[in-house]
Amino acid sequence: MPLPFLTADRAFDTTDHVALPFDDHDQWRRPYRPGSWRVGTAALALLLASFVLLAAVIIAFAGAFGGACVTFGIALLVIAAALRMLRMGAWVSRAGVRRVGFFSTVTVPWAKVTSLRTTQQPVRWLGLPRTVQGQALVLDRQGGEQLLLLTDHNADFLSRVEAFDRAADTVEAWNAEYGAA
């Protein structure tokens, strides 16, 4: 029994290209779902944070309030890291494209984009130093600077080639609609 109201992909399953009533192009949106590697890692980090919070409560009941505060601070850092990890990726809006990294965010207005293309190149595997041959969505900015938006071996698209292709096509469609002509 299919339950379409529970799926996140139902907007992609329609054959008509009519905008949905909640489809606001001024808000920043991720043109793809977060991958299982990213969600799984964040879930494990939040599970770890729950154990650290439990340890902070036990330390506080034992009477060591300084240690409890330090442990509580560590739990807050793990929670913040997990939430930031879920936020990472490429985001689009009418204003431009945004690449959210763990420590930095780069926003490029559509008027500053000279080209957006999918290329075969060495890419990092799950963000680690190891590189493998893969596909990457590369954005060229005015001034000759390049920005790597998506790769097919990152935490969102590992073992999901069709999802990478669909996300790259979606970002390219946003560029075609709002980019400089």
Side-chain angles (χ1 to χ4, degrees):
M1 173 172 86
L3 299 173
F5 59 89
L6 294 178
T7 63
D9 287 337
R10 66 179 169 168
F12 295 114
D13 292 339
T14 60
T15 56
D16 55 343
H17 297 290
V18 177
L20 298 173
F22 57 85
D23 201 14
D24 183 12
H25 286 215
D26 290 328
Q27 291 185 347
W28 290 99
R29 67 183 64 237
R30 188 189 323 239
Y32 56 90
R33 293 182 314 166
S36 57
W37 284 91
R38 184 174 309 283
V39 173
T41 304
L44 287 176
L46 290 173
L47 181 66
L48 173 69
S50 70
F51 287 122
V52 174
L53 284 172
L54 180 64
V57 169
I58 292 171
I59 292 170
F61 280 136
F65 295 110
C69 288
V70 169
T71 309
F72 184 72
I74 291 171
L76 287 179
L77 285 175
V78 171
I79 292 170
L83 293 177
R84 184 65 181 184
M85 193 180 337
L86 287 173
R87 185 113 173 108
M88 289 171 55
W91 296 73
V92 292
S93 81
R94 186 174 299 183
V97 62
R98 177 177 287 174
R99 185 186 181 297
V100 178
F102 192 77
F103 293 111
S104 66
T105 299
V106 177
T107 303
V108 180
W110 291 120
K112 303 276 185 189
V113 175
T114 57
S115 72
L116 191 64
R117 66 189 188 287
T118 304
T119 63
Q120 289 282 332
Q121 68 181 37
V123 295
R124 292 171 54 176
W125 182 76
L126 287 177
L128 299 172
R130 177 180 175 213
T131 59
V132 294
Q133 189 66 26
Q135 291 185 359
L137 182 65
V138 178
L139 180 140
D140 292 324
R141 296 189 262 186
Q142 290 177 352
E145 301 173 18
Q146 285 188 344
L147 180 64
L148 187 68
L149 288 179
L150 306 171
T151 68
D152 64 344
H153 284 81
N154 68 4
D156 289 322
F157 301 110
L158 191 63
S159 301
R160 295 176 54 211
V161 178
E162 298 84 15
F164 172 78
D165 292 337
R166 187 170 55 233
D169 290 343
T170 303
V171 174
E172 289 171 354
W174 277 78
N175 182 37
E177 185 172 349
Y178 295 112

